[in-house]
């Protein structure tokens, strides 16, 4: 593929990521923010109970009068800003960045994974990205609301999550390569089924071997609120990649159709014929 075509696809991938990010932000604000507010309310209630219990325990041991609870630190960024401008900025930057990366992956995959149209290839690329980058890591290390887990292990949990993403992407690439090599002997359908089954089996082994996040959620946190937050997180990612796949497929189809038409157009009468 020509460099100018890849560049055009990259720009349109980032544009598609921006559009997908706008819709994902709407879903995150409407569906995702209520459970976040609920998690913050639970955290504040638990902190208030602990602050109230500490002076009583101190007085019960013969101490002096209960000391005043420490004043809460003022937030550098208000909750309103976090849930609006902050959320929008994060989701849009995320969408644009992943849109550009997915466009490059599309440029590599087009014509190499089968005789699919640009729209179908864009849809397959988006589905593969959603599965390997988010869904598989989510199944092993599901999302949790902010300030719910043990803050002392956040570094370990973050490392495990990104390790799962890397492993999932590598296993996905290995499955694609295996499917391509098996296709001439077994046919596309059988090769795809075998490659997908191998991906599921090896991923399952990785789930068993990798450590679990036992302290990702504090004891006593409402299970219904946690489930609501995780479903909202899954919905945001599903909308992001679904919209990207549709929008980028349309844009890529136009770019590639235009380049093909220009290449196939007859030279004007009297124009020099390249020799």
């Amino acid at each position: 593929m020509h460099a100018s075509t890849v560049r055009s696809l990259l720009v349109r991938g980032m544009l598609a990521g921006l559009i997908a990010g706008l819709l994902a932000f709407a879903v995150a604000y409407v569906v995702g923010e209520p459970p976040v507010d609920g998690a913050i309310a639970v955290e504040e209630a638990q902190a208030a109970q602990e602050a109230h219990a500490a002076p009583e325990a101190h007085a019960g041991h013969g101490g002096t009068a209960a000391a005043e609870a420490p004043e809460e630190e003022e937030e550098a960024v208000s909750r309103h800003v976090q849930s609006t401008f902050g959320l929008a900025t994060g989701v849009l930057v995320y969408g644009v960045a992943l849109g550009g990366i997915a466009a490059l992956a599309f440029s590599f995959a087009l014509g190499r994974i089968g005789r699919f149209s640009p729209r179908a290839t864009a849809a397959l690329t988006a589905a593969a990205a959603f599965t390997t980058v988010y869904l598989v890591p989510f199944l092993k290390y599901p999302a949790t609301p902010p300030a719910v887990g043990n803050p002392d292990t956040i570094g370990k949990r973050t490392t495990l999550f990104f390790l799962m993403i890397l492993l999932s992407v590598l296993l996905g690439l290995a499955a694609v390569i295996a499917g391509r090599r098996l296709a001439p002997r077994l046919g596309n359908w059988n090769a795809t089924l075998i490659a997908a089954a191998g991906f599921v089996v090896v991923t399952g082994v990785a789930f068993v071997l990798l450590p679990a996040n036992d302290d990702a959620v504090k004891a006593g946190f409402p299970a219904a609120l946690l489930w609501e937050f995780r479903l909202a997180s899954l919905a945001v990612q599903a909308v992001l990649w679904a919209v990207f796949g549709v929008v980028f497929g349309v844009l890529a189809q136009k770019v590639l159709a235009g380049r093909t038409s220009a290449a196939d157009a007859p030279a004007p009468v009297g124009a020099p014929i390249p020799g």
Side-chain angles (χ1 to χ4, degrees):
M1 186 177 294
H2 197 273
S4 61
T5 303
V6 175
R7 185 164 55 249
S8 297
L9 291 173
L10 175 62
V11 172
R12 282 157 180 79
M14 296 173 70
L15 175 60
L18 178 63
I19 295 172
L22 287 172
L23 293 179
F25 162 69
V27 175
Y29 183 78
V30 174
V31 179
E33 284 303 306
V36 172
D37 290 335
I40 293 175
V42 170
E43 180 193 11
E44 291 176 347
Q46 292 177 345
Q49 291 177 356
E50 293 174 358
H52 180 71
E56 292 182 351
H58 181 71
H61 284 82
T64 58
E68 295 183 358
E71 297 182 358
E72 294 183 359
E73 297 182 0
E74 185 178 354
E75 292 181 342
V77 181
S78 67
R79 173 66 187 140
H80 174 72
V81 174
Q82 292 176 4
S83 62
T84 53
F85 298 106
L87 178 63
T89 301
V91 174
L92 293 179
V93 171
Y94 178 81
V96 171
L98 288 187
I101 296 173
L104 295 177
F106 166 89
S107 301
F108 177 79
L110 185 63
R112 290 184 172 91
I113 59 174
R115 296 181 178 179
F116 297 105
S117 67
R119 288 186 181 182
T121 303
L124 291 173
T125 301
F130 169 73
T131 301
T132 58
V133 175
Y134 185 78
L135 181 60
V136 170
F138 174 86
L139 294 176
K140 175 61 179 177
Y141 302 117
T144 55
V148 170
N150 184 354
D152 296 334
T153 62
I154 188 171
K156 174 187 174 182
R157 289 186 277 124
T158 302
T159 300
L160 288 174
F161 182 75
F162 281 103
L163 176 62
M164 192 67 238
I165 292 177
L166 177 61
L167 183 60
S168 175
V169 171
L170 292 177
L171 291 176
L173 292 175
V176 171
I177 294 173
R180 287 187 59 197
R181 293 185 176 180
L182 292 174
R185 289 180 294 170
L186 303 178
N188 290 332
W189 179 252
N190 292 331
T192 301
L193 290 179
I194 293 175
F199 175 81
V200 171
V201 170
V202 178
T203 301
V205 173
F207 278 16
V208 173
L209 295 179
L210 288 174
N213 278 341
D214 296 329
D215 57 352
V217 180
K218 293 180 180 178
F221 188 83
L225 184 59
L226 178 63
W227 182 245
E228 182 181 353
F229 176 84
R230 288 176 173 174
L231 286 179
S233 176
L234 185 62
V236 170
Q237 291 290 330
V239 169
L240 177 71
W241 286 110
V243 174
F244 171 81
V246 172
V247 174
F248 180 68
V250 173
L251 297 177
Q253 185 83 28
K254 291 181 178 180
V255 170
L256 296 172
R259 298 299 171 93
T260 303
S261 299
D264 294 339
V269 177
I273 300 176

